[in-house]
Amino acid sequence: MNDNTKIKIGLIQMAMRRQKQENLEIAIDKVRAAADRGAQVVCLPELFCSPYFCQTENPDFFDLAESIPGPATEAMRRVAKEKRIVIIASLFERRAPGLYHNTAAVLDQSGQIAGIYRKMHIPDDPAYYEKYYFTPGDLGFPAIPTDFGKLGVLICWDQWYPEAARLMALQGASILFYPTAIGWHPHEKEAYGESQKSAWITIQRAHAIANGVFVAAVNRVGYETRNDGETGIEFLGHSFLSDPFGNLIAQAGIAEDNLVAEIDLRQIEEVRRNWPFLRDRRIDFYSDLNRRYIDC
Amino acid sequence: MNDNTKIKIGLIQMAMRRQKQENLEIAIDKVRAAADRGAQVVCLPELFCSPYFCQTENPDFFDLAESIPGPATEAMRRVAKEKRIVIIASLFERRAPGLYHNTAAVLDQSGQIAGIYRKMHIPDDPAYYEKYYFTPGDLGFPAIPTDFGKLGVLICWDQWYPEAARLMALQGASILFYPTAIGWHPHEKEAYGESQKSAWITIQRAHAIANGVFVAAVNRVGYETRNDGETGIEFLGHSFLSDPFGNLIAQAGIAEDNLVAEIDLRQIEEVRRNWPFLRDRRIDFYSDLNRRYIDC
């Protein structure tokens, strides 16, 4: 365990190319570059090995999935060991024939898989047909211990659920990471684009505030076409790192970027002493959170 | 039940005077003025009948409490009936000798008490000594039915808890109201004032987003001195109304204000259809939310 409370976080905001091997190589270059700038915990965007294939439902795309451990985690754990860093790699996991997950692997300084997280909340909206591809996670919300403390790794749609952030914080996670693939439908962008971006940032800053933790959101960028002639998605970037008070420490725009910023874990206790929300939770009255809806 | 989905909301941002009767009369004037501008559901700030007495612990201040029903709810229900409006009145409730709550009463168009909410999350920080005065609520988080739909009335410190907002939304509350008394310690304002205000707005906008509901936060304003010579609190105002997407429909500054703004409840379904968060909650994995902390 690293005793230094100061940690440099790397957020790799990248645009994805067509070929898996090319994306993997570019990602490795970017992770190395972040490490060379001092980054100790580096997070890649959701499903960084491929374009966002969930824009359509196509059984051929299951070929993109791989086992964990597998080639991508092998490559990433070599980089983690070489650079003595932690890497958060979001992958399309093939668990068994016909059983696939949207999974993040955490590779640690020793080159081991410190833990995995299988996306629990699966969206399904026009052009985000994830329920077709991803079986909902069955591991719950495990905070993953690393040399830099416990990390709460969640994935994209999870970011809209305060329950997920809370469960990670209650296990002692000090930083929440959200590998993400969120974008604008071009026909909606003018009317709703700014509100959508703002909502996306706001709710994640709120997780930082409610729980007194750091939050890193790592999105992809670029316009990705579809092969059926329909309009594609413009991924909105704006990856950011928030402190436990909801202040933005670093933020990207809509271009590729490689953010490296330092945090000090001592800020967590400082913020929570001043606003001690964990002290006053009414756990005697929260049981209905386990219900779908409270009909009455 | 009103069939019109458009409702005008009134937010009374006021500064409190020393005397209870004076505050009550001013509040009634302001509620009438909002009603005359079309407001149909009007919310007053937390504990609007008095200065924020929790700045010190003084047993004499229990004299400020009154029963519900009692003089304040009597006065307010007459106004509600006269103007055919709903009023949300936050009061210091004397439930029994030595048993006091921080309670909001909802008075409806017919002049009845539609329901009460007893503050569940009780803060206790320097100059906010609420645990001395207020017994934590024992009614849970009941959404209160009115002629304008179900209202989720919560109070101040509750606003930092996503659990409270969620439980109200799961019962069908369409608007969350947060009567509030939040301010700056003058010695902290320069360094932290802007961040504190931003966090306060951000987390409540996030409740609107996470749940697809409207949120109205109603704060007091003005500098309130203490009678022990210590520095007082500058209440920070900035009452606001958010739509279910987190967009601010109306917002006050740091002066007294009387906001009246229209909402359309149909926006709730429109927003939730596009971002259907309630559909995907993992209620099979939320049970640890009932725990204080997950030691491991």
Side-chain angles (χ1 to χ4, degrees):
Chain A
M1 181 69 190
N2 192 317
D3 285 335
N4 193 339
T5 60
K6 292 182 181 174
I7 303 174
K8 283 195 175 161
I9 308 295
L11 287 69
I12 310 293
Q13 178 168 292
M14 63 183 276
M16 281 49 167
R17 282 70 175 176
R18 284 277 143 201
Q19 297 306 316
K20 188 171 165 181
Q21 191 57 34
E22 187 182 3
N23 286 313
L24 190 57
E25 286 166 15
I26 291 170
I28 288 171
D29 286 348
K30 288 177 180 288
V31 170
R32 282 202 177 105
D36 290 343
R37 290 167 56 206
Q40 296 160 296
V41 180
V42 180
C43 183
L44 289 153
E46 185 181 17
L47 301 168
F48 70 94
C49 285
S50 65
Y52 184 69
F53 53 85
C54 312
Q55 286 200 64
T56 57
E57 298 194 0
N58 182 340
D60 293 342
F61 291 154
F62 288 108
D63 289 340
L64 293 166
E66 63 172 67
S67 61
I68 294 176
T73 53
E74 280 304 299
M76 283 296 165
R77 69 187 195 82
R78 282 195 296 272
V79 180
K81 189 173 182 180
E82 165 200 331
K83 294 291 185 184
R84 308 291 298 162
I85 60 175
V86 167
I87 300 173
I88 298 159
S90 162
L91 302 165
F92 186 15
E93 179 190 8
R94 180 179 180 277
R95 187 174 177 186
L99 183 60
Y100 309 88
H101 294 283
N102 186 330
T103 302
V106 178
L107 302 317
D108 71 14
Q109 289 184 296
S110 65
Q112 303 302 307
I113 296 179
I116 65 168
Y117 168 75
R118 294 193 176 116
K119 188 174 183 175
M120 292 288 285
H121 301 98
I122 307 294
D124 198 284
D125 303 302
Y128 293 83
Y129 299 110
E130 295 199 17
K131 288 193 194 296
Y132 173 71
Y133 291 102
F134 308 127
T135 303
D138 58 349
L139 299 176
F141 301 93
I144 297 174
T146 74
D147 292 316
F148 300 99
K150 283 190 193 164
L151 308 183
V153 177
L154 295 159
I155 302 173
C156 202
W157 193 240
D158 292 321
Q159 63 212 171
W160 303 101
Y161 293 85
E163 293 92 342
R166 180 72 93 199
L167 287 166
M168 290 298 190
L170 290 180
Q171 289 168 80
S174 48
I175 316 169
L176 305 184
F177 285 92
Y178 290 98
T180 300
I182 188 173
W184 292 304
H185 296 300
H187 62 280
E188 285 184 359
K189 185 179 175 186
E190 191 179 333
Y192 301 112
E194 192 56 37
S195 290
Q196 289 170 345
K197 187 189 81 178
S198 172
W200 179 73
I201 295 168
T202 298
I203 199 154
Q204 291 177 93
R205 288 177 59 208
H207 300 328
I209 296 164
N211 296 291
V213 293
F214 293 89
V215 170
V218 186
N219 196 12
R220 67 171 64 198
V221 294
Y223 178 75
E224 295 187 12
T225 57
R226 292 167 59 152
N227 55 9
D228 62 359
E230 296 294 318
T231 311
I233 297 176
E234 180 185 350
F235 290 92
L236 61 79
H238 284 87
S239 301
F240 67 87
L241 180 63
S242 168
D243 77 10
F245 214 67
N247 297 307
L248 294 189
I249 300 169
Q251 180 161 40
I254 57 165
E256 286 196 304
D257 207 342
N258 205 330
L259 299 176
V260 176
E262 185 174 82
I263 64 172
D264 188 335
L265 296 180
R266 285 177 300 187
Q267 198 186 349
I268 292 174
E269 184 147 358
E270 179 195 324
V271 165
R272 290 186 187 175
R273 280 187 191 190
N274 282 286
W275 287 3
F277 305 139
L278 293 184
R279 181 191 61 192
D280 299 324
R281 293 178 68 243
R282 291 302 302 273
I283 55 174
D284 49 340
F285 277 94
Y286 289 166
S287 59
D288 280 349
L289 293 169
N290 295 320
R291 296 175 66 178
R292 179 66 61 213
Y293 200 71
I294 304 167
D295 305 286
C296 44
Chain B
M1 181 71 189
N2 192 319
D3 284 334
N4 193 339
T5 60
K6 292 183 181 171
I7 303 174
K8 282 196 176 160
I9 308 295
L11 287 69
I12 311 292
Q13 177 167 292
M14 62 183 275
M16 281 48 167
R17 284 68 175 176
R18 283 278 142 200
Q19 297 305 316
K20 187 171 166 183
Q21 191 56 34
E22 187 182 4
N23 286 312
L24 190 57
E25 286 166 14
I26 290 170
I28 288 171
D29 286 347
K30 288 177 181 287
V31 170
R32 283 202 176 106
D36 291 343
R37 289 168 56 206
Q40 295 159 296
V41 180
V42 180
C43 183
L44 288 153
E46 185 181 17
L47 301 168
F48 70 93
C49 286
S50 65
Y52 184 68
F53 53 86
C54 312
Q55 286 201 63
T56 57
E57 297 194 359
N58 182 339
D60 293 342
F61 290 154
F62 288 108
D63 289 339
L64 292 167
E66 62 172 65
S67 60
I68 296 175
T73 52
E74 281 303 299
M76 283 296 165
R77 70 186 194 82
R78 281 195 295 272
V79 179
K81 189 172 181 181
E82 165 199 330
K83 294 292 184 182
R84 307 293 297 164
I85 61 175
V86 166
I87 300 173
I88 298 159
S90 161
L91 301 165
F92 186 15
E93 179 190 8
R94 180 178 181 277
R95 188 176 178 185
L99 182 60
Y100 309 88
H101 294 284
N102 186 330
T103 302
V106 177
L107 301 317
D108 71 14
Q109 288 183 298
S110 65
Q112 303 301 307
I113 296 177
I116 66 168
Y117 168 76
R118 292 193 178 117
K119 188 172 183 175
M120 291 289 286
H121 302 98
I122 307 293
D124 198 284
D125 304 301
Y128 293 84
Y129 299 109
E130 296 199 16
K131 288 194 194 294
Y132 173 70
Y133 292 102
F134 308 127
T135 303
D138 58 350
L139 298 177
F141 300 92
I144 296 175
T146 73
D147 293 317
F148 300 99
K150 283 190 194 165
L151 308 182
V153 177
L154 295 159
I155 302 172
C156 203
W157 193 240
D158 292 321
Q159 63 212 170
W160 303 100
Y161 294 84
E163 293 92 343
R166 182 70 95 201
L167 288 167
M168 290 298 190
L170 291 180
Q171 290 169 80
S174 48
I175 316 168
L176 306 184
F177 286 91
Y178 290 98
T180 299
I182 189 173
W184 292 304
H185 294 302
H187 63 280
E188 288 184 357
K189 186 179 175 187
E190 191 179 333
Y192 301 111
E194 193 56 36
S195 289
Q196 290 171 343
K197 186 189 81 178
S198 172
W200 180 73
I201 295 168
T202 298
I203 199 154
Q204 291 177 93
R205 287 178 58 210
H207 300 327
I209 296 163
N211 296 291
V213 293
F214 293 89
V215 170
V218 187
N219 196 12
R220 65 171 67 198
V221 294
Y223 178 75
E224 295 187 11
T225 56
R226 292 168 58 151
N227 55 10
D228 61 359
E230 296 294 318
T231 311
I233 297 176
E234 181 184 351
F235 291 93
L236 62 80
H238 284 86
S239 301
F240 67 88
L241 180 62
S242 168
D243 77 10
F245 214 67
N247 297 306
L248 295 190
I249 300 168
Q251 183 162 39
I254 57 164
E256 286 197 302
D257 207 342
N258 205 331
L259 299 176
V260 176
E262 186 174 81
I263 65 173
D264 188 336
L265 295 180
R266 285 177 301 188
Q267 198 187 349
I268 291 174
E269 184 147 359
E270 181 194 323
V271 165
R272 290 186 188 174
R273 281 187 191 189
N274 281 286
W275 286 3
F277 305 137
L278 292 184
R279 181 191 62 193
D280 299 326
R281 294 177 68 242
R282 291 302 302 273
I283 55 173
D284 48 340
F285 276 94
Y286 289 166
S287 59
D288 280 350
L289 293 170
N290 295 321
R291 295 175 66 177
R292 179 67 61 213
Y293 200 70
I294 304 167
D295 305 286
C296 45

